[in-house]
Each structure stands twice: as structure tokens, then as C-alpha cells.
Amino acid sequence: MSGTPRCFVAVVVLCGTMVLTYSVVHGRSENPLKFFCYLVLALAASRLKVNLPGITGTMSVNFLFLLLGVLELSLSDAMVLGCAAVWVQCLGDRPIPLQVAFNVCSTALAIAGTFATYHYSLSRYPMGNPTTLLFLATCVYFVANTLPVAAVISLIERRSLRKIWSDSYLWSFPYYLMGAGVAGMMSWLRGFTDWQTSLLTLPVAYLIYRSYRLYLGKLEDEKRHVEEMADLHMRTIEALALAIEAKDQTTHDHLQRVRVYAVEVAKELKVDREGMEALQAAALLHDIGKLAIPEHIISKPGRLTPEEFEKMKIHPLVGAEILERVRFPYPVVPIVRAHHEKYDGTGYPLGLRGSEIPIGARILSAVDFLDAMASDRQYRRALPMNEAMAQLVRESGKAFDPEVVRVLERKYLDLEKLVHQRTDNLGKQKLSAEVEVKDEDANAEPSIRPDAGFEAQGRRQLPQGSFLSSIAAARQEAQTLFELSQDLGASLSLGETLSVFAVKLRRAIAYDAIAIYICQGEELVPEYVNGDNFRLFASLRIPIGQGLSGWVAQNRKPILNGNPSVEPGYLNDASKYSTLTSALAVPLEGVQGVVGVVALYHAEKDFFTTDHLRILLAVSSKMALAIENAMKYEQAESSAVTDYLTGLPNARSLFLQLDRELARCKRDNNTLTVMVADLDRFKQINDRFGHLEGNRVLRLFAQSLKETSREYDYVARMGGDEFVVIAPGLTPEAAARKAEQMRSLAQQAGKDVCNEDILSLSVGKAVYPKDGMDAEKILSEADKRMYLQKQSQSPQKNRRIYPRVRGRLTTEISGNGQEQELAMLGIVTNLSLGGCYVETSGILLPGSKYKLTFSHDHTIVSIETEVVRMDMGIGAALKFNEATHEVRAALQRVLEQLASLEAVVDLKRSHNAVAGGKL
């Protein structure tokens, strides 16, 4: 509690104590029994209390008995009765002694004033109307009892006394009048009955208390509803603020930080409550008008052009139009509309100055500037907080209100700590997107500029001397452009093309460094880098849309004199540093879209001019086409020597490499082992599982073979399912181990794809110089030995993959959902794990798919099949498609049961044959 409230409380306590002491010392009780009964009733009524709305205070119905005491008792009795009742009312709420003393003494003063108003007026003016005097006394008591408490609250909380008194106490005045009426009636009845009749006022007091409770309960419900609506309102505002943050991706914490700063500064400047609410909403929504600004302007990692700034200047107006439809109960719209106005009148959109700008907008403008300078932006790094504050002070009186700046200068360190604490815990009408905010003189130099300045254009260095120098410079520029155009189409090598371009370009544009980025997926990768800090730029991988070059690639717009340090990869990285301060970046657009970005860098700030931009734009399309052609050539060249399926070298590359290896072995007098491998039963995989699965097998085997070979071994795909390994210096023992390893790799590839042990490998080896002196001879010998090994294996052509069992099982044939629905019966014969033959009169076309359902000995099998061959009028051969483990297990059980039955039948036949022979 500050000094003024303490003084007021002290005066009230002192005066009340004096009045209470005088009344008790000089007074006497005329009827002790009557006083005692009234005292008991008043104390009981003091416990019937309710909480007052809007403040931390209570009110009871003891005023009824206090008024009755004023009418019926002496001053001393009424004083003791009232003070005791107030003291009892304060019990149970853990009161502070000073509060109890203040309440008792203010009540003593109120009773003294009420008693004097009624009795002294009645004695001086005997002909006065007692009812009028009772009304006046009640009014005096109401004011004297409530006004001191409201005054203390007003002094402590710095709120309006009138508002506190009217909101928290004035509503109870009718109840005081009701109590006065009851007290007057009891006093009138005393002329006909004894004073004991006054005891009947206790039920009346309880009724007044109940009406208190109902009324205040309704007020509490309304207050809770208002608070819920206000909370919903604020959450809606925060949701809109999130939309703004999503639009401007570099300011994720900016709005929250601005809100904290603005509210705290407003408290220091003693802004009223309505203004505080408006400022809090405006701090979150002041940039909502940016929804009408194109994304490439908002996210541009460089300064704005005058045209772009004209577009940017509409966002306060658009934001105000949006928020006008919300109809806030406090003045948010004027703050949003004026938050880019400047104190000296040079701001926009209305050119307001000084006190014409709303105080909320003045606070928001300064706070917005301070946080923007201390935050990372697309076009510059963040400044230290003290430097940002110094910049704000320099603009005091020009752009910003000096009073607001003084508060920020004094409190910004504390506010920064507060921000960290809180952030850690924490329309059918068309918008005016086409309006322009122009200066009065459209031809004059613009007086309104963005805070970061316009996109800088370096001063063109005019040639000194006569007009002949200008002509010579123009001819040199034309000659350079002609040479660039000629040279760009002269080579299909990407590296050579970019190198020639960089050398020729330097004659027209003096740069310190050049980086040419190529689009690879969602990244820009430096393909050619030269000049200062080339290692720095060569290490970058720039996502499309980020940084200077990424923004150029995404938006297909150039940037003149941008900041090189905003490129992703070394922003705020102390290990990377560049002395380059200006950049010129242009997109390279080919037939297929943007193929890359060419970026020129210079150490001098704002070095590049519009002439430089014009020259680079003139050759960018030609360069883009040259890069596209070079990249297509490299791709075609690569595919000419690379197998498209496995990524291994193809047969052409194999013969070239084999010739090189043989030449080297001849020089070094070394051996060379060539191993030719062929996948056995690979055709069955294609027939049964399809060519896509066969391709998977080839890719898997090729990858495994490459990974298990030595670094200097050469693995190639000869064609089809044949592979070749060139292994220099491999011993016979190591070659044998390598062959076994290759066989296991092939077997494993078949298992991984087909889940069956279906694949094997034949390997033939030939050694230089023992088996031949040239590539053709060695490959021929290795291929011959591979086929000899393949022929030495058991013949696989006529060997069934699965054993078949004879038997006859009735089956139901139905469509599988893709074919026309049908249901027929057939007889399953020659059953195996791979398929069966079904005897049926129905027509089953080859390639059709059906579901077979049959059973044997309580084992039911339902499996998907495909028709391989149809014998008209007899039946069809079907192969089983891939099935679950449970279905294959059931099929295996049926096969075992049929096989055992077949064995029993064969045994009986042999016994019968033997018995017939004996006969």
C-alpha cells in the first residue's frame, strides 16, 4: 500500500476511534435488555453476508438492525451495536487487523452521521416528516458506509472511484431503502405494541439476504459468461495471429514478443483499461493486412523495390478493413491503421503526426521497430539488443514518440527477461489490395520509404571523357554479349560451359565471386564456384525457397544487391565468414522450368547496378538452355555405358574396362581373373512371379555383388541374367571362394524376393595370361566354362518344382471379384503346391483368375488361382497365386493326406498283383 492510501486509512481510523470513544464514554443505555436483544439480532445478521462483485469485500444485512438501533436506541448503544456487528462480519476471512480497524471506524463515523441526521434534525425541526428524515438518514448511512471503502480500493488499484462505487455498491441502495422501510414500520408498531415486536425483523433480514444471494449469483453467472466470451475472443485473435505468422515465416515469435513489450509499456504510460485491451489485440493483429501482400514480397531476402514497397504500404489499410468487420468493443482499428505512422508525419498511410497518432499506435510502432531490429530477417542478420535500442533512440522525435522511447530505454532489459519467461512457459467484400498510397507529388523523390530502405542500386560508373568513351563502352558490352551467346552453345560439357561463361561474364560485370547453382530435387547445389570464399559457397546446399538464391529459384525473380550472408548454411555460424556484402542473383529458366540460379557477389556494399542486372538477364535464358543441353548430354552419355536396371556398367563399358585392365596387367606383369556368372532358373521366376519381381531379383543380386567385391574390382552386367566380375591379382583359392560367395548371394536374392529356394548360379573363370591374351579370348573362355558348369548340373527343364500327387477332390470354382461372378463345380487332379488340374465342363479362359475351394479330411483350402492352359470340354491347368502361410500350410496337409492314401492304394495293387501271379 502506497502513501496516499495509508494516509486516508489513518485519517478514517483516527476520526472513527475518536467518535467511538466519545460515544461510549459519554453515553448510557436506557434499556439494557432491549439493547442486548438488538445486539444479538445484529450479530446474527452479520453472518448473513455475500461477496461484492468486482472487489474483494463482503456485505451483510446487519444494516437493517443498525437503522433500527438508530431509531430506537441511544447513540452509545447504536454505536456499540454497529461496531460489534461489523467486527463479527470481518471474522472468518482471515482479516488483516488494519482492515478490521478501518471497517469498524468507518462504520462508527457512518452511524454517528446517520444518528445526527435523524435525531438532531428531528429535535430542531419537530414538525418535520419522520419518513423524510428516515430516508435522508438512510442515504447518509449508505454513502458514509460504502464511500470510504470504495475510496481505499480506488487509491490502491488506481481505478476510478465513481466506477468502483457504482459497479460494486450502488446496486445495493434499494435494499437499504427496503431495510429503512422495515425499520420505520417496526418503530411505528412500537406505538401500539411492545419493543419485542422488532424481533420479527429477523425473517425479513433473511429474505433480504436471500434476495442478495440470488441477485449476486446472477451477476456472477453473467460475469463468468462475459469472461468466457472474452477468453474466446482472445483465442480467436490468437488464431488470426497464427495465420499471419504462417504468411510471414521469419517472424514466428515476433507477434508474441511485441504484445508483451507493448502491454508493459502501456502500463508505464498509465493507459486506461480500454486502451490496454485494444493494444493487446492490435499487437497480435497489426500485420493481418499482409494477407493481401504477395508471398514473394513478404519473404524476399533483400530490400524492396519502389514498386514492391507501394504494394507493401497497403497492408495497414487492408488490416483496418478486415478488423472493422469484427466490431471490437475497444478501439483496435485506429491502432492497426496507424501503426506505420511516424511522429514527424512522414509515415503512411495517412501521414499523421504527433498526438494525432493514437497512443496505442505510437507504442506499437516503437516496439515493433525494436523487436524487428533485434530479430533475424530475410535481408539481414539480427542486431544486438543494445544496438537496436540505440537505433531506436536515434529515431526518437522523428519516427517515434520520445515518451515511449524513454520508457523502452529505461525498461528494455527487464522487458526482454519478461519476454523470455512468458514465451518459454508459454468477408465477402473485396479487400483494397489494388489501392496505392502515393506522395502528393508523384514525380518527386519518394518521401515515404520502408525502414530498411529501397532495394539498393549501385551508382553507375559513367565513363570519364568524351562521348567516344561511351560509344566504346557500349560496343564492348555488345561484343561481350555476342561472345557469351556464341560460346554458350559451343560445348556440351557442363563444367566447360560454366567455366567459359564465368570468364566471359567478368568482362561485363566485375564480380568478386560467382556461384552457379543447379536444381537437384528440392535443393540448389553449387555446380561451379569461383572467386573469393569459393570453398564457403561450394559447401552450401540451399533448399528451394530459403535464403537469397532459394527465394530467386522459387519465385523466378531476380534480386539486386541482396545480402549474401542470408544463404542457408552459414547464417549465424561463427565458423563461416564472408567479406562479401552485396549479391546479384538471377534465375535460369529453361524449357522445363528453373534449372538453376547464377549469383554474383561483391565486397562493396550495393555495388551492382540495374545495367548489371540487365546484362545478366539478357544472357540468362541462353545460359539456361545451354545448361539443360549439357545436362541432357551427360545423362545420355551416362546411360550409354550404364545398365538402366541395375546401375552397373553395361557390356560396352565392360569391354573398354577389360581392355584397360589387360593393358595395365601387361605393363605390370600381373594376373587378371575374369568371372562370368549366369542365374539358373531365372526364367521360372519371370514366368511364375512376373517380370517386375524378376527385375527386383536382378537389382538385389547386382547390389549385393557390388557391395561384396573389392574396391578395385569391376562388376558389370553383360546382358539378361549374366554378370561379369573383373578381379585383378585374384589367386585361384580366392577365386573359388568368390564363386561360392556369388552362388550364395544369388540363392539369397531368390529367397528374399520369391520366398523359395529357386535360384542358383553357374560361374565360369578365365585367367590372364594363362587362358588368353586379349579381352575377347578371355571372355569366351570364361563363358564356355560357365556353360559347362551349367550343363553338369542336373537338368532343370523337365524337373517339376513341386511334386504332384494324384487324387480326385471335388472343388467349387468361383470368381475372385475381378471376373464376372460365377460358381461351378469341378474335380481337382494332379495337385501340388504350385497348382493343379481341374476337370470341368465350364470354359476357363487362359489368364483368368478364380478361387478354388476344396477340402479333405476336415482340412479346407480356399486359394486364388490363374488359368495357364485350357483343354476345351476336358478341363484346365491352373497355377496357384501367392497365398498366406495358413493357406499354404493347409494345402501341404491335404497333399500329405493324399500322398499317404496313394501309397496305401499302390501297396494294395502290388499285393493283388502278387496274389494273381500265384494263381
Short mmCIF file of all heavy atoms in Angstrom, two decimals, residues 611-654:
data_model
loop_
_atom_site.label_atom_id
_atom_site.label_comp_id
_atom_site.label_asym_id
_atom_site.label_seq_id
_atom_site.Cartn_x
_atom_site.Cartn_y
_atom_site.Cartn_z
N ASP A 611 22.15 -1.80 -64.77
CA ASP A 611 22.81 -2.23 -66.01
C ASP A 611 23.36 -3.64 -65.86
O ASP A 611 23.27 -4.46 -66.78
CB ASP A 611 23.95 -1.26 -66.36
CG ASP A 611 23.42 0.06 -66.90
OD1 ASP A 611 22.25 0.07 -67.36
OD2 ASP A 611 24.15 1.05 -66.86
N HIS A 612 23.96 -3.92 -64.70
CA HIS A 612 24.45 -5.28 -64.44
C HIS A 612 23.30 -6.29 -64.49
O HIS A 612 23.44 -7.38 -65.07
CB HIS A 612 25.14 -5.35 -63.08
CG HIS A 612 26.37 -4.49 -62.99
ND1 HIS A 612 26.79 -3.90 -61.81
CD2 HIS A 612 27.28 -4.12 -63.94
CE1 HIS A 612 27.90 -3.21 -62.04
NE2 HIS A 612 28.21 -3.34 -63.32
N LEU A 613 22.19 -5.92 -63.88
CA LEU A 613 21.02 -6.81 -63.89
C LEU A 613 20.53 -7.02 -65.32
O LEU A 613 20.18 -8.14 -65.70
CB LEU A 613 19.92 -6.22 -63.01
CG LEU A 613 18.60 -6.99 -62.98
CD1 LEU A 613 18.79 -8.40 -62.46
CD2 LEU A 613 17.57 -6.24 -62.13
N ARG A 614 20.50 -5.95 -66.11
CA ARG A 614 20.04 -6.06 -67.49
C ARG A 614 20.93 -6.99 -68.31
O ARG A 614 20.44 -7.83 -69.08
CB ARG A 614 20.02 -4.66 -68.13
CG ARG A 614 19.66 -4.64 -69.60
CD ARG A 614 19.59 -3.22 -70.11
NE ARG A 614 20.78 -2.47 -69.77
CZ ARG A 614 21.94 -2.55 -70.45
NH1 ARG A 614 22.04 -3.38 -71.47
NH2 ARG A 614 22.99 -1.82 -70.10
N ILE A 615 22.25 -6.88 -68.13
CA ILE A 615 23.18 -7.75 -68.87
C ILE A 615 22.98 -9.21 -68.49
O ILE A 615 22.91 -10.10 -69.35
CB ILE A 615 24.63 -7.31 -68.59
CG1 ILE A 615 24.88 -5.92 -69.18
CG2 ILE A 615 25.62 -8.32 -69.15
CD1 ILE A 615 26.22 -5.33 -68.80
N LEU A 616 22.86 -9.46 -67.18
CA LEU A 616 22.71 -10.84 -66.73
C LEU A 616 21.38 -11.43 -67.17
O LEU A 616 21.31 -12.62 -67.55
CB LEU A 616 22.83 -10.90 -65.20
CG LEU A 616 23.16 -12.25 -64.58
CD1 LEU A 616 24.42 -12.85 -65.21
CD2 LEU A 616 23.34 -12.13 -63.08
N LEU A 617 20.32 -10.64 -67.16
CA LEU A 617 19.03 -11.13 -67.64
C LEU A 617 19.07 -11.42 -69.14
O LEU A 617 18.39 -12.33 -69.63
CB LEU A 617 17.94 -10.11 -67.34
CG LEU A 617 17.49 -9.98 -65.87
CD1 LEU A 617 16.52 -8.83 -65.71
CD2 LEU A 617 16.86 -11.28 -65.39
N ALA A 618 19.88 -10.64 -69.88
CA ALA A 618 19.96 -10.82 -71.32
C ALA A 618 20.55 -12.17 -71.70
O ALA A 618 20.19 -12.75 -72.74
CB ALA A 618 20.78 -9.69 -71.94
N VAL A 619 21.45 -12.70 -70.90
CA VAL A 619 22.11 -13.96 -71.23
C VAL A 619 21.58 -15.13 -70.41
O VAL A 619 21.99 -16.28 -70.64
CB VAL A 619 23.64 -13.85 -71.03
CG1 VAL A 619 24.22 -12.80 -71.95
CG2 VAL A 619 23.98 -13.53 -69.58
N SER A 620 20.69 -14.88 -69.44
CA SER A 620 20.26 -15.95 -68.54
C SER A 620 19.49 -17.05 -69.27
O SER A 620 19.68 -18.24 -69.00
CB SER A 620 19.41 -15.38 -67.40
OG SER A 620 18.24 -14.77 -67.91
N SER A 621 18.59 -16.65 -70.21
CA SER A 621 17.82 -17.68 -70.90
C SER A 621 18.70 -18.53 -71.79
O SER A 621 18.53 -19.76 -71.86
CB SER A 621 16.71 -17.02 -71.73
OG SER A 621 17.27 -16.10 -72.67
N LYS A 622 19.66 -17.90 -72.48
CA LYS A 622 20.61 -18.65 -73.31
C LYS A 622 21.44 -19.60 -72.47
O LYS A 622 21.69 -20.76 -72.84
CB LYS A 622 21.51 -17.66 -74.06
CG LYS A 622 22.50 -18.30 -74.99
CD LYS A 622 21.85 -18.77 -76.28
CE LYS A 622 22.90 -19.24 -77.28
NZ LYS A 622 22.29 -19.72 -78.53
N MET A 623 21.87 -19.10 -71.32
CA MET A 623 22.66 -19.94 -70.43
C MET A 623 21.84 -21.12 -69.88
O MET A 623 22.34 -22.24 -69.75
CB MET A 623 23.19 -19.11 -69.27
CG MET A 623 24.10 -19.87 -68.33
SD MET A 623 24.67 -18.84 -66.98
CE MET A 623 25.65 -20.03 -66.08
N ALA A 624 20.57 -20.86 -69.55
CA ALA A 624 19.73 -21.94 -69.05
C ALA A 624 19.57 -23.05 -70.08
O ALA A 624 19.63 -24.24 -69.75
CB ALA A 624 18.36 -21.37 -68.66
N LEU A 625 19.37 -22.67 -71.35
CA LEU A 625 19.26 -23.68 -72.40
C LEU A 625 20.56 -24.45 -72.56
O LEU A 625 20.56 -25.67 -72.77
CB LEU A 625 18.86 -23.01 -73.72
CG LEU A 625 17.44 -22.44 -73.78
CD1 LEU A 625 17.23 -21.69 -75.09
CD2 LEU A 625 16.41 -23.54 -73.62
N ALA A 626 21.69 -23.74 -72.47
CA ALA A 626 22.98 -24.42 -72.58
C ALA A 626 23.17 -25.41 -71.45
O ALA A 626 23.68 -26.53 -71.65
CB ALA A 626 24.11 -23.39 -72.59
N ILE A 627 22.78 -25.03 -70.24
CA ILE A 627 22.89 -25.94 -69.09
C ILE A 627 21.98 -27.15 -69.27
O ILE A 627 22.37 -28.29 -69.00
CB ILE A 627 22.57 -25.19 -67.79
CG1 ILE A 627 23.68 -24.17 -67.47
CG2 ILE A 627 22.41 -26.15 -66.63
CD1 ILE A 627 23.39 -23.32 -66.26
N GLU A 628 20.76 -26.91 -69.74
CA GLU A 628 19.84 -28.03 -69.98
C GLU A 628 20.42 -29.01 -71.00
O GLU A 628 20.38 -30.23 -70.80
CB GLU A 628 18.49 -27.50 -70.47
CG GLU A 628 17.52 -27.16 -69.38
CD GLU A 628 16.12 -26.87 -69.91
OE1 GLU A 628 16.01 -26.50 -71.09
OE2 GLU A 628 15.16 -27.03 -69.15
N ASN A 629 20.96 -28.49 -72.10
CA ASN A 629 21.53 -29.37 -73.12
C ASN A 629 22.73 -30.14 -72.58
O ASN A 629 22.89 -31.34 -72.86
CB ASN A 629 21.94 -28.53 -74.34
CG ASN A 629 20.74 -27.97 -75.08
OD1 ASN A 629 19.65 -28.53 -75.02
ND2 ASN A 629 20.94 -26.86 -75.78
N ALA A 630 23.59 -29.46 -71.81
CA ALA A 630 24.75 -30.13 -71.25
C ALA A 630 24.33 -31.23 -70.28
O ALA A 630 24.94 -32.32 -70.26
CB ALA A 630 25.65 -29.11 -70.55
N MET A 631 23.32 -30.96 -69.47
CA MET A 631 22.86 -31.98 -68.51
C MET A 631 22.23 -33.16 -69.23
O MET A 631 22.42 -34.32 -68.83
CB MET A 631 21.87 -31.35 -67.53
CG MET A 631 22.49 -30.32 -66.59
SD MET A 631 21.29 -29.48 -65.55
CE MET A 631 20.71 -30.82 -64.53
N LYS A 632 21.46 -32.89 -70.31
CA LYS A 632 20.89 -33.99 -71.09
C LYS A 632 21.98 -34.82 -71.76
O LYS A 632 21.89 -36.06 -71.84
CB LYS A 632 19.92 -33.45 -72.13
CG LYS A 632 18.64 -32.88 -71.56
CD LYS A 632 17.76 -32.30 -72.65
CE LYS A 632 16.48 -31.72 -72.07
NZ LYS A 632 15.62 -31.11 -73.12
N TYR A 633 23.03 -34.13 -72.23
CA TYR A 633 24.14 -34.85 -72.85
C TYR A 633 24.84 -35.75 -71.83
O TYR A 633 25.18 -36.90 -72.12
CB TYR A 633 25.13 -33.86 -73.46
CG TYR A 633 26.36 -34.52 -74.04
CD1 TYR A 633 26.30 -35.19 -75.26
CD2 TYR A 633 27.57 -34.48 -73.36
CE1 TYR A 633 27.43 -35.80 -75.78
CE2 TYR A 633 28.70 -35.09 -73.87
CZ TYR A 633 28.62 -35.75 -75.10
OH TYR A 633 29.74 -36.36 -75.60
N GLU A 634 25.08 -35.21 -70.63
CA GLU A 634 25.71 -36.02 -69.59
C GLU A 634 24.86 -37.22 -69.23
O GLU A 634 25.37 -38.32 -69.01
CB GLU A 634 25.96 -35.16 -68.34
CG GLU A 634 27.13 -34.20 -68.46
CD GLU A 634 27.44 -33.53 -67.14
OE1 GLU A 634 26.65 -33.69 -66.18
OE2 GLU A 634 28.49 -32.86 -67.05
N GLN A 635 23.52 -37.00 -69.17
CA GLN A 635 22.63 -38.11 -68.86
C GLN A 635 22.66 -39.17 -69.96
O GLN A 635 22.71 -40.38 -69.67
CB GLN A 635 21.21 -37.58 -68.67
CG GLN A 635 20.20 -38.65 -68.24
CD GLN A 635 18.83 -38.06 -68.03
OE1 GLN A 635 18.62 -36.85 -68.23
NE2 GLN A 635 17.88 -38.89 -67.64
N ALA A 636 22.65 -38.72 -71.22
CA ALA A 636 22.71 -39.68 -72.33
C ALA A 636 24.05 -40.41 -72.35
O ALA A 636 24.11 -41.61 -72.62
CB ALA A 636 22.49 -38.95 -73.65
N GLU A 637 25.12 -39.67 -72.07
CA GLU A 637 26.44 -40.29 -72.04
C GLU A 637 26.54 -41.33 -70.94
O GLU A 637 27.13 -42.40 -71.12
CB GLU A 637 27.51 -39.20 -71.85
CG GLU A 637 28.93 -39.69 -72.08
CD GLU A 637 29.92 -38.56 -71.96
OE1 GLU A 637 29.70 -37.66 -71.12
OE2 GLU A 637 30.91 -38.54 -72.70
N SER A 638 25.94 -41.01 -69.80
CA SER A 638 25.96 -41.96 -68.70
C SER A 638 25.14 -43.20 -69.01
O SER A 638 25.55 -44.32 -68.73
CB SER A 638 25.42 -41.29 -67.43
OG SER A 638 25.30 -42.21 -66.38
N SER A 639 23.96 -43.01 -69.63
CA SER A 639 23.12 -44.17 -69.94
C SER A 639 23.74 -45.04 -71.02
O SER A 639 23.42 -46.23 -71.14
CB SER A 639 21.73 -43.69 -70.39
OG SER A 639 21.83 -42.90 -71.57
N ALA A 640 24.65 -44.50 -71.83
CA ALA A 640 25.30 -45.29 -72.88
C ALA A 640 26.26 -46.31 -72.30
O ALA A 640 26.57 -47.31 -72.95
CB ALA A 640 26.03 -44.36 -73.85
N VAL A 641 26.78 -46.09 -71.14
CA VAL A 641 27.75 -47.01 -70.53
C VAL A 641 27.22 -47.60 -69.23
O VAL A 641 27.96 -48.29 -68.52
CB VAL A 641 29.09 -46.29 -70.27
CG1 VAL A 641 29.73 -45.89 -71.58
CG2 VAL A 641 28.90 -45.09 -69.37
N THR A 642 25.97 -47.34 -68.87
CA THR A 642 25.41 -47.83 -67.61
C THR A 642 24.14 -48.61 -67.87
O THR A 642 23.30 -48.22 -68.68
CB THR A 642 25.11 -46.65 -66.66
OG1 THR A 642 26.29 -45.89 -66.48
CG2 THR A 642 24.61 -47.14 -65.32
N ASP A 643 24.00 -49.72 -67.19
CA ASP A 643 22.79 -50.52 -67.29
C ASP A 643 21.67 -49.82 -66.52
O ASP A 643 21.82 -49.51 -65.32
CB ASP A 643 23.04 -51.92 -66.72
CG ASP A 643 21.80 -52.77 -66.73
OD1 ASP A 643 21.21 -52.94 -67.80
OD2 ASP A 643 21.40 -53.22 -65.64
N TYR A 644 20.56 -49.56 -67.18
CA TYR A 644 19.49 -48.77 -66.58
C TYR A 644 18.84 -49.46 -65.39
O TYR A 644 18.34 -48.83 -64.46
CB TYR A 644 18.43 -48.46 -67.63
CG TYR A 644 17.54 -49.63 -67.97
CD1 TYR A 644 16.29 -49.78 -67.36
CD2 TYR A 644 17.95 -50.61 -68.89
CE1 TYR A 644 15.49 -50.86 -67.67
CE2 TYR A 644 17.14 -51.68 -69.18
CZ TYR A 644 15.91 -51.81 -68.58
OH TYR A 644 15.12 -52.88 -68.87
N LEU A 645 18.82 -50.82 -65.40
CA LEU A 645 18.10 -51.55 -64.36
C LEU A 645 18.91 -51.68 -63.08
O LEU A 645 18.43 -51.39 -61.99
CB LEU A 645 17.72 -52.94 -64.89
CG LEU A 645 16.96 -53.85 -63.91
CD1 LEU A 645 15.63 -53.21 -63.52
CD2 LEU A 645 16.74 -55.23 -64.53
N THR A 646 20.15 -52.10 -63.20
CA THR A 646 20.97 -52.39 -62.02
C THR A 646 21.91 -51.25 -61.65
O THR A 646 22.43 -51.23 -60.53
CB THR A 646 21.80 -53.66 -62.24
OG1 THR A 646 22.68 -53.44 -63.36
CG2 THR A 646 20.89 -54.84 -62.55
N GLY A 647 22.15 -50.31 -62.55
CA GLY A 647 23.11 -49.26 -62.28
C GLY A 647 24.54 -49.68 -62.47
O GLY A 647 25.46 -48.88 -62.25
N LEU A 648 24.77 -50.92 -62.88
CA LEU A 648 26.14 -51.41 -63.12
C LEU A 648 26.58 -51.01 -64.53
O LEU A 648 25.75 -50.70 -65.39
CB LEU A 648 26.18 -52.94 -62.99
CG LEU A 648 25.89 -53.52 -61.60
CD1 LEU A 648 25.93 -55.05 -61.67
CD2 LEU A 648 26.88 -53.01 -60.57
N PRO A 649 27.85 -51.01 -64.80
CA PRO A 649 28.32 -50.79 -66.17
C PRO A 649 27.74 -51.84 -67.11
O PRO A 649 27.55 -53.01 -66.74
CB PRO A 649 29.84 -50.91 -66.05
CG PRO A 649 30.13 -50.60 -64.61
CD PRO A 649 28.97 -51.12 -63.83
N ASN A 650 27.48 -51.43 -68.37
CA ASN A 650 26.92 -52.36 -69.34
C ASN A 650 28.03 -53.04 -70.14
O ASN A 650 29.21 -52.90 -69.84
CB ASN A 650 25.92 -51.65 -70.25
CG ASN A 650 26.55 -50.49 -71.00
OD1 ASN A 650 27.78 -50.35 -71.05
ND2 ASN A 650 25.71 -49.65 -71.59
N ALA A 651 27.62 -53.79 -71.18
CA ALA A 651 28.60 -54.57 -71.95
C ALA A 651 29.63 -53.68 -72.63
O ALA A 651 30.82 -54.01 -72.70
CB ALA A 651 27.86 -55.43 -72.97
N ARG A 652 29.18 -52.53 -73.17
CA ARG A 652 30.13 -51.64 -73.83
C ARG A 652 31.20 -51.15 -72.87
O ARG A 652 32.40 -51.17 -73.16
CB ARG A 652 29.37 -50.45 -74.41
CG ARG A 652 30.27 -49.42 -75.07
CD ARG A 652 29.50 -48.16 -75.42
NE ARG A 652 30.37 -47.13 -75.93
CZ ARG A 652 30.02 -45.88 -76.09
NH1 ARG A 652 28.79 -45.50 -75.77
NH2 ARG A 652 30.87 -45.00 -76.57
N SER A 653 30.75 -50.71 -71.69
CA SER A 653 31.71 -50.26 -70.68
C SER A 653 32.60 -51.40 -70.21
O SER A 653 33.78 -51.20 -69.91
CB SER A 653 30.95 -49.66 -69.50
OG SER A 653 31.83 -49.22 -68.50
N LEU A 654 32.05 -52.61 -70.19
CA LEU A 654 32.83 -53.77 -69.76
C LEU A 654 34.02 -54.02 -70.68
O LEU A 654 35.15 -54.22 -70.21
CB LEU A 654 31.92 -55.00 -69.71
CG LEU A 654 32.62 -56.35 -69.52
CD1 LEU A 654 33.26 -56.44 -68.13
CD2 LEU A 654 31.64 -57.49 -69.72
#
